[in-house]
Amino acid sequence: MPKQESQRILGIDPGSRATGYGVITKNGNRLYYVICGVIRLGDKYSFSDRLKIIFDGLCEVINTHKPTVAAVEDVFVAANPRTALKLGHARGVAVLAALHNGLKVHDYTPRMVKQAVVGYGNADKKQVQQMVRVLLQLSASPSADAADALAVAMCHANQTIIDGEVIIG
Amino acid sequence: MPKQESQRILGIDPGSRATGYGVITKNGNRLYYVICGVIRLGDKYSFSDRLKIIFDGLCEVINTHKPTVAAVEDVFVAANPRTALKLGHARGVAVLAALHNGLKVHDYTPRMVKQAVVGYGNADKKQVQQMVRVLLQLSASPSADAADALAVAMCHANQTIIDGEVIIG
């Protein structure tokens, strides 16, 4: 079997109040957990302050954990255009943080992410958390936003595995 | 009359295909034109490439022309949430470019901008172009997106003029 390059994937689940991030490495067909977390922004921050904190926070994650590629969840398109506009601001700066640091960005819909991790496109948040915990052999479930971010990274890892299933640990 | 500080205002009219920018200075109650232009992005660019080009382009404008404050037009909220989401991405990175360079960002609705520059909140693009040309004593009308950006900057200038009307030139 040919030697496979290792990849370090940053997954991002963007939102204006909570942006989840997670880093995994893929070595051959094996996935390893590196880090995950959530940039949480309460009401004390103005909307534009939040954009800057999301951008700066993700830049720090990238500079610290040195991912080689980014996968960003395509946000749920709300029925309300005003909400979609806000989500767009947050997702725009998240994508930019990756691009600004030289990472190529891949987009995945929530459906693709759930399909890849749970095997079922309509899975709920709890199922995603549970599967992320099991597949990455974590001792506890990450919070929902961090689990979503790890799931996006795992979804991207799946896309680039050619010969067979992901093997964990 | 007390000496008034001069202000250098960057106006931005964000869009994913055309982002207008314009810089003016306000010295006392007088406004002076500095520069304007449009970052135009055709179909050959991917959506994420566009975000990076908007951000990098605006950073270059800021580094070259050293504005002290930014005014960003609040984008028209389309009926279609998918369109609003795209506009949000573009506006998010435009706002971030200003914040990233230490500028405070002020938001103005299209209605406020038209009211400030044309004196009529429902003015059309041609009227805005014409008034921007006259008020800033330009020899020709800027393109619609650049004129909108200058108009946002002028709208911000108006907000900070206390004793009377704007005097031009």
Side-chain angles (χ1 to χ4, degrees):
Chain A
M1 190 170 137
K3 192 180 175 308
Q4 287 183 284
E5 259 182 59
S6 96
Q7 216 182 15
R8 207 167 166 92
I9 307 165
L10 168 65
I12 305 174
D13 176 34
S16 72
R17 287 177 179 274
T19 288
Y21 62 87
V23 180
I24 60 171
T25 55
K26 177 167 88 77
N27 211 330
N29 282 3
R30 291 178 182 271
L31 302 185
Y32 302 89
Y33 168 79
V34 178
I35 187 104
C36 73
V38 183
I39 301 167
R40 255 182 235 290
L41 300 162
D43 285 330
K44 69 173 175 169
Y45 298 102
S46 70
F47 186 65
S48 55
D49 279 348
R50 282 186 213 157
L51 298 180
K52 182 154 165 44
I53 295 167
I54 292 168
F55 179 80
D56 290 347
L58 291 175
C59 285
E60 197 181 316
V61 170
I62 294 167
N63 290 326
T64 308
H65 300 287
K66 314 274 183 218
T68 54
V69 67
V72 184
E73 185 151 341
D74 211 354
V75 293
F76 169 74
V77 176
N80 178 348
R82 175 59 56 186
T83 310
L85 186 68
K86 278 199 165 185
L87 278 169
H89 280 68
R91 192 174 184 281
V93 302
V95 167
L96 185 74
L99 296 170
H100 188 62
N101 289 283
L103 304 183
K104 198 166 185 296
V105 173
H106 301 265
D107 302 318
Y108 296 101
T109 64
R111 199 178 171 79
M112 289 166 82
V113 173
K114 289 170 179 174
Q115 183 66 45
V117 174
V118 185
Y120 170 56
N122 290 324
D124 64 24
K125 277 195 175 289
K126 277 230 164 322
Q127 289 173 296
V128 172
Q129 276 176 293
Q130 172 65 6
M131 282 306 286
V132 164
R133 190 181 75 73
V134 171
L135 292 173
L136 294 178
Q137 301 186 324
L138 306 175
S139 55
S141 284
S143 71
D145 298 298
D148 273 352
L150 287 168
V152 187
M154 292 162 76
C155 175
H156 178 72
N158 262 349
Q159 304 299 311
T160 53
I161 287 168
I162 299 149
D163 52 345
E165 294 291 297
V166 174
I167 303 158
I168 307 296
Chain B
M1 191 168 137
K3 195 180 176 303
Q4 286 183 285
E5 258 181 60
S6 98
Q7 216 181 16
R8 208 166 165 92
I9 308 164
L10 167 66
I12 305 175
D13 177 33
S16 73
R17 287 176 180 274
T19 288
Y21 62 87
V23 180
I24 61 172
T25 56
K26 177 167 89 76
N27 210 330
N29 283 1
R30 291 177 181 271
L31 302 185
Y32 302 88
Y33 169 79
V34 178
I35 187 102
C36 73
V38 183
I39 302 167
R40 254 181 235 291
L41 301 161
D43 285 330
K44 69 172 175 169
Y45 298 103
S46 71
F47 186 65
S48 54
D49 280 348
R50 281 186 213 156
L51 298 181
K52 182 156 166 40
I53 295 168
I54 292 168
F55 179 80
D56 290 347
L58 291 175
C59 285
E60 197 181 313
V61 169
I62 294 167
N63 290 326
T64 307
H65 299 287
K66 315 275 184 215
T68 54
V69 66
V72 184
E73 185 151 342
D74 212 353
V75 294
F76 168 75
V77 176
N80 178 348
R82 176 59 57 187
T83 310
L85 187 67
K86 279 200 164 185
L87 278 169
H89 280 68
R91 192 174 183 283
V93 302
V95 167
L96 186 74
L99 296 170
H100 188 61
N101 288 283
L103 304 183
K104 195 163 187 296
V105 174
H106 300 265
D107 301 319
Y108 296 101
T109 64
R111 201 179 169 77
M112 289 165 83
V113 173
K114 288 169 180 174
Q115 183 67 46
V117 174
V118 185
Y120 171 57
N122 289 324
D124 64 23
K125 276 195 175 289
K126 277 229 164 321
Q127 290 174 295
V128 172
Q129 276 176 293
Q130 172 65 7
M131 283 306 285
V132 165
R133 189 181 76 73
V134 171
L135 293 173
L136 294 178
Q137 301 186 324
L138 307 176
S139 56
S141 284
S143 73
D145 297 298
D148 274 353
L150 287 168
V152 187
M154 291 161 76
C155 176
H156 178 71
N158 262 350
Q159 305 298 312
T160 53
I161 286 169
I162 299 149
D163 52 345
E165 293 293 297
V166 174
I167 303 158
I168 308 295

